Amino acid sequence: MRDMKDAPTFDPSVMRPDILGAEFLGEGTNFALFSDHATRVELCLFDDSGQNELHRLDLPEMEGGIWFGYLPGIAPGQVYGYRVHGPHAPEQGHRFNHNKLLLDPYARELRGQIRWNDALHGYEVGQDDLSFDTRDSAPFMPKAVVVDTKFDWDTDRAIRKPWQNSVVYEAHVKGLTQLHPDVPEADRGTFQGLACDAMIEHLHRIGVTAVELLPIHAFANDRFLVERGLSNYWGYSTLSFFAPHAPYLKSGQIREVKEAIRRLHKAGIEVILDVVYNHTAEGNELGQTMSFRGIDNASYYLLAPDNPRHGFDTTGTGNTLNVAHPMVLRMVMDSLRYWVEAMHVDGFRFDLASTLGRETQGFERDGSFFNAIRQDPVLSGVKLIAEPWDIGEGGYQVGGYRWPFREWNDKFRDDTRAFWRRDPGLVPAMSERLSGSPVQFNHSHRPATSSVNFVAAHDGFTLWDTVSFNDKHNEANGEDNRDGHDHNLSDNMGAEGPTDDSGIVTARVRRVRAMLATVALSQGVPMILAGDEFGNSQDGNNNAYCQDNEIAWLDWSSARKDLIDAFAALTAFRQEVSLSQSRFGAAPADASERQAAIEWLHPRGGAMEEGDWQDGELRCFGLRQVLPNGADVLIVVNAGEDAEFALPEGEWHLRIDTSADEVAQDSPAQGVVPVPWQAVLALTR
C-alpha cells in the first residue's frame, strides 16, 4: 500500500531538465524523463525490495517534452519507476496506460527480474491490441535503482591499441567461464570470473588484445522461451541501455563491471561491448508495455507511415528503435558515452547496424546516427564495429560504412570456409580476403584495417562444428530444427559429428588450423569466437541463442592444446613481423614507402598470370608482401592435395607450417618447398 503521509517534496530551485535519468547530485536526486506526447508523469518510489510502492509523485515541470523534478534526501539505493499518462490511441501510435509501471530508459541498475504475467501488456490479452488493460503491472516488473557513480579508477586509462595490432576475441560473459576449472566456482558466469587470473593468462597466451562481449545490457528472457524451459542466452533483447545484466554480477552492483574492466586494462586487454540499439525487448504491438512503449511509443519506435498502429520492423524482432528522432538519438549517444566515460569500455560492436542508418529514404551511410558518432569527441576515438546488415530492404551494406567504423566481413567468412572446403574457382576470392578485401573497403580513405575477419561467430557453427557437421542440429531449441540458417558452408569430412576415426580427426585439425591461420595472417583485424582456439563444439547447434547450458558453454575439459599452441604461434608471428598494415598494399611498381608491395605467386614459380586466376582447379597459391619495415613475408595457402611451391630467389625461413605438430618453425628453405595438403605456410626472408 502507498503511504503518502511522509511523501518527499520537490525542490523547484534545483530541478534540471538537461540531465536525463535519475542523477544523484550530492544531497538529493534529479529525475527527468522524455515523453513528447504524455499529459502527466508520475514518479513511483518503492522500498528496498522493489515490491512495495511507497510514494507516487507527479513530476512537477515539463520543458521540451522532458518531465523533471528534484527530490531532496533521495539517495543512491532508492528504487523507482514511472507511470505515464497520455492518449490511448493505438491507431495513431499512442499506447499510454498509467496502470503499467515503466522502467526508466536511463536506469543504471535494476532491482528484481521480469515475472511474466498478462498484466505486463497494455491491452487485454485475448482481445486485440486496441483494448485497454487496467491491471497494475508493478508486481511483475523489475525496477530502476538510483546509483552512486563514484569509483576509484586509480590510474586506469583507455588503452587505445592500434587496430593493426588488435586481435579480437568474441565471448559470452557466462559461457566463457561457467565450466572453466581454474575459475573459482563462485565467480563463474560473472564479471568477476571474466577478469580472473586464469582467464587473463589464457588471453595473453593466445595473443588476444580485446574481448568483444555479447550483450551485457540488461535484457529480457522472452516469455515464449521461459515457458519452454529455455532462456535468452545471447541477450539480444535489450531492456535497458545503461544497466548491466544483473545475473552477470556476483555482487549485484555495477562496480563489479568497473572492477573487471580495470583489471583487464591492467593486463593490456581492451573491452568491446556488443550493443543492441536497433530494437528493444518489447516486441511488436502485441508485446509487453515495460518501458519505451508506455513512455511514448510514437517517439521511441519507428512506426509504419501508412498505419502507425503497427511498427516498421527491419530487425525481425517486432520493433525498430527510432534513432532518427533527436531525443531517441540522444538517449543512444548518452548510453554510449556513459559506457565509455563512466564504465571505461574501449569500444562497441553495433548489432544490425544498418538499422541505425535508416532514414526516410532507407539506409544512409551519412545518416544522423553515424554523423553524430563521427563528430563526437568521446565516441569517435573508441573502437567502432558495425554488423553491416539488417533484414530490411537494402540492409546488406558490407563495405558501405565510413571511417572510423570497422565492419564484420561475412564475405571473408564465407569465402574462407568455401576455399578450405575445396570448392572450385575460389582463388580470386581468397586473394581478396588475404589482402583485406579491397573491393569492399579500399575507398573513401578507409584503412586496410576496415575488415574484421572471422570464420565463426556466436551466430552459426563454431569453427570445429564447421568441419564436423554437414547439417545443423538445433533440435534442443524446440523448433523442430527449423530455426537457424542452412548456409553453413561446412563439411563433416566423412562423419557427422564426433568420431573416433583418427584419419577424420587429423583432417579436421588440419583444416581448423588452416582457417585459423587464414584469419590470423590476412590483412584486416582478426576475430575469433571464444573456444575456436581449442576446438569447442556446440554439437552442431548453429543457433544456440536460447541454450544457457552445456550446449553453449565452453567445454574447457575437451580443449585441444595443439590448437591453442597453433593459434598462439600465429598471433605471435603476426605481431613479430608487423604483418597488419593500415594502408592497402599495391603492386611493387606502385607501392610507396608507406605501403606494402604485394605479389601473387603461382606454385610453379613467378607471378600469377591471367589464365591462372581463371583456373577453377587451382587451390594453391602465394602472397608475397614486402612491408614498409623491410620485412619480406610469403604466405602460401594450399586447400588441395600435397603440392610443391617454387620460392622466389634467396634464402627463406619457414616460420609457420600448420600441418606440423609444432606449428612454429624456423628452418631455412630455398628453391622448391613441399606444401602439405590443407596447410598454410608462412616464410620470411
Side-chain angles (χ1 to χ4, degrees):
M1 298 292 292
R2 289 184 293 127
D3 178 9
M4 301 300 292
K5 182 174 61 175
D6 298 316
T9 303
F10 288 102
D11 182 349
S13 68
V14 183
M15 60 182 65
R16 295 174 56 180
D18 60 310
I19 45 176
L20 290 164
E23 189 79 16
F24 178 61
L25 300 179
E27 297 181 356
T29 299
N30 190 82
F31 294 89
L33 179 77
F34 170 73
S35 178
D36 202 30
H37 298 97
T39 57
R40 176 185 170 200
V41 175
E42 292 179 294
L43 171 66
C44 304
L45 303 180
F46 290 79
D47 65 6
D48 288 346
S49 71
Q51 294 302 306
N52 300 304
E53 188 176 346
L54 304 176
H55 308 295
R56 193 179 296 188
L57 311 168
D58 278 28
L59 288 179
E61 294 292 334
M62 190 274 282
E63 294 180 8
I66 297 175
W67 302 76
F68 61 102
Y70 173 85
L71 284 177
I74 299 298
Q78 176 64 57
V79 182
Y80 72 99
Y82 289 109
R83 299 179 188 274
V84 181
H85 299 249
H88 177 70
E91 301 96 329
Q92 301 171 35
H94 301 308
R95 297 183 176 274
F96 293 97
N97 187 334
H98 61 275
N99 299 293
K100 308 306 169 185
L101 188 81
L102 304 173
L103 190 65
D104 181 1
Y106 280 71
R108 296 173 184 172
E109 188 175 298
L110 304 188
R111 183 72 49 83
Q113 299 289 320
I114 297 172
R115 296 168 54 206
W116 291 114
N117 187 281
D118 288 349
L120 292 168
H121 293 263
Y123 65 96
E124 294 184 30
V125 175
Q127 300 186 30
D128 65 29
D129 62 292
L130 301 179
S131 61
F132 187 80
D133 188 273
T134 60
R135 288 173 291 181
D136 183 8
S137 66
F140 312 105
M141 274 292 295
K143 318 302 190 297
V145 181
V146 178
V147 301
D148 185 354
T149 59
K150 292 180 181 177
F151 182 77
D152 181 12
W153 282 103
D154 195 14
T155 59
D156 184 79
R157 293 290 184 274
I159 297 174
R160 297 287 192 273
K161 186 174 289 292
W163 276 110
Q164 59 265 34
N165 296 335
S166 296
V167 176
V168 180
Y169 189 75
E170 191 198 23
H172 187 284
V173 170
K174 182 175 184 179
L176 181 65
T177 61
Q178 188 67 21
L179 298 178
H180 199 299
D182 297 327
V183 175
E185 189 169 353
D187 297 344
R188 295 175 188 173
T190 70
F191 273 93
Q192 194 154 317
L194 172 70
C196 74
D197 289 343
M199 289 313 312
I200 289 174
E201 288 170 6
H202 178 72
L203 296 174
H204 279 168
R205 180 182 179 189
I206 61 174
V208 164
T209 67
V211 289
E212 180 181 302
L213 301 176
L214 267 69
I216 68 158
H217 288 170
F219 59 84
N221 279 319
D222 305 89
R223 186 174 186 174
F224 78 95
L225 290 174
V226 172
E227 291 175 349
R228 295 210 311 253
L230 301 170
S231 65
N232 182 4
Y233 174 66
W234 284 349
Y236 290 94
S237 189
T238 306
L239 187 63
S240 172
F241 296 117
F242 291 78
H245 191 54
Y248 296 161
L249 306 176
K250 176 185 176 184
S251 64
Q253 298 179 339
I254 61 173
R255 66 176 295 111
E256 185 178 328
V257 181
K258 298 179 180 180
E259 289 167 349
I261 292 172
R262 182 175 61 186
R263 199 153 193 275
L264 288 165
H265 280 181
K266 286 183 177 179
I269 298 168
E270 295 180 303
V271 178
I272 298 170
L273 301 186
D274 191 337
V275 288
V276 188
Y277 294 110
N278 56 78
H279 73 279
T280 78
E282 292 185 303
N284 63 17
E285 64 271 11
L286 298 178
Q288 295 77 30
T289 295
M290 299 184 290
S291 183
F292 311 95
R293 174 166 291 128
I295 295 170
D296 191 350
N297 185 66
S299 292
Y300 284 94
Y301 290 121
L302 197 62
L303 304 181
D306 57 340
N307 187 358
R309 174 182 173 184
H310 304 287
F312 188 75
D313 182 16
T314 64
T315 66
T317 65
N319 66 64
T320 302
L321 205 65
N322 184 18
V323 293
H325 189 292
M327 291 303 293
V328 180
L329 175 61
R330 175 182 168 178
M331 177 189 69
V332 173
M333 298 294 288
D334 284 347
S335 169
L336 291 168
R337 281 189 291 264
Y338 171 75
W339 285 97
V340 172
E341 295 181 310
M343 306 298 282
H344 284 209
V345 304
D346 303 282
F348 305 95
R349 179 264 191 190
F350 294 92
D351 179 65
L352 300 181
S354 292
T355 293
L356 301 174
R358 288 197 173 273
E359 306 278 331
T360 56
Q361 301 301 315
F363 175 80
E364 293 286 348
R365 66 193 303 224
D366 293 317
S368 301
F369 172 76
F370 299 124
N371 284 343
I373 291 271
R374 293 182 71 201
Q375 63 79 42
D376 190 281
V378 174
L379 300 177
S380 61
V382 303
K383 285 184 164 62
L384 303 169
I385 304 171
E387 182 185 37
W389 51 76
D390 64 18
I391 67 167
E393 183 178 355
Y396 186 77
Q397 291 290 331
V398 172
Y401 290 72
R402 289 196 186 275
W403 179 91
F405 280 85
R406 272 62 179 176
E407 301 175 36
W408 271 26
N409 186 356
D410 65 334
K411 293 181 181 296
F412 184 99
R413 177 198 64 200
D414 291 354
D415 287 340
T416 299
R417 287 187 181 190
F419 176 79
W420 289 107
R421 194 174 65 170
R422 305 180 69 178
D423 289 8
L426 282 170
V427 167
M430 273 311 301
S431 71
E432 288 284 322
R433 307 310 155 221
L434 288 167
S435 56
S437 299
V439 170
Q440 283 72 40
F441 299 106
N442 190 10
H443 61 81
S444 307
H445 306 297
R446 299 191 72 181
T449 54
S450 295
S451 174
V452 176
N453 300 326
F454 66 102
V455 285
H458 69 274
D459 186 3
F461 276 153
T462 68
L463 182 54
W464 188 260
D465 285 354
T466 300
V467 301
S468 303
F469 295 91
N470 284 345
D471 304 301
K472 65 186 180 184
H473 296 271
N474 298 353
E475 291 81 6
N477 295 358
E479 300 178 45
D480 297 323
N481 206 33
R482 294 189 304 269
D483 63 303
H485 58 79
D486 296 308
H487 186 62
N488 295 300
L489 294 167
S490 61
D491 175 13
N492 67 21
M493 308 189 78
E496 187 74 355
T499 180
D500 293 328
D501 187 309
S502 60
I504 293 175
V505 172
T506 297
R508 288 176 177 176
V509 169
R510 280 220 184 173
R511 188 169 290 179
V512 165
R513 283 185 177 184
M515 287 195 280
L516 287 173
T518 307
V519 172
L521 302 180
S522 293
Q523 291 299 319
V525 180
M527 184 190 82
I528 67 163
L529 173 65
D532 280 354
E533 76 277 19
F534 62 72
N536 186 63
S537 172
Q538 291 179 170
D539 297 329
N541 192 315
N542 76 347
N543 190 33
Y545 77 103
C546 57
Q547 299 298 330
D548 188 3
N549 51 47
E550 287 83 356
I551 291 176
W553 300 339
L554 269 61
D555 181 10
W556 293 91
S557 67
S558 299
R560 299 187 62 97
K561 182 179 179 296
D562 57 337
L563 290 181
I564 294 174
D565 290 343
F567 189 68
L570 288 163
T571 57
F573 175 77
R574 177 185 177 88
Q575 298 294 345
E576 177 194 339
V577 300
S578 300
L579 184 64
S580 180
Q581 298 294 305
S582 61
R583 290 175 176 250
F584 286 93
D590 301 321
S592 70
E593 293 181 357
R594 300 172 65 185
Q595 280 182 291
I598 64 173
E599 289 184 279
W600 300 101
L601 304 177
H602 192 277
R604 66 169 176 262
M608 290 277 287
E609 299 175 356
E610 183 62 32
D612 299 328
W613 294 108
Q614 309 306 318
D615 182 356
E617 298 306 310
L618 182 64
R619 290 182 173 84
C620 180
F621 69 106
L623 166 60
R624 182 181 183 182
Q625 303 170 83
V626 180
L627 305 175
N629 64 6
D632 196 345
V633 181
L634 174 60
I635 309 296
V636 179
V637 296
N638 179 24
E641 301 299 328
D642 289 345
E644 291 185 335
F645 194 94
L647 296 174
E649 290 185 5
E651 181 175 281
W652 292 82
H653 291 265
L654 179 63
R655 305 293 304 280
I656 298 288
D657 177 357
T658 60
S659 70
D661 292 335
E662 297 294 332
V663 175
Q665 308 289 317
D666 191 6
S667 54
Q670 296 186 68
V672 175
V673 295
V675 188
W677 57 277
Q678 298 275 289
V680 176
L681 307 184
L683 305 97
T684 58
R685 188 169 74 91

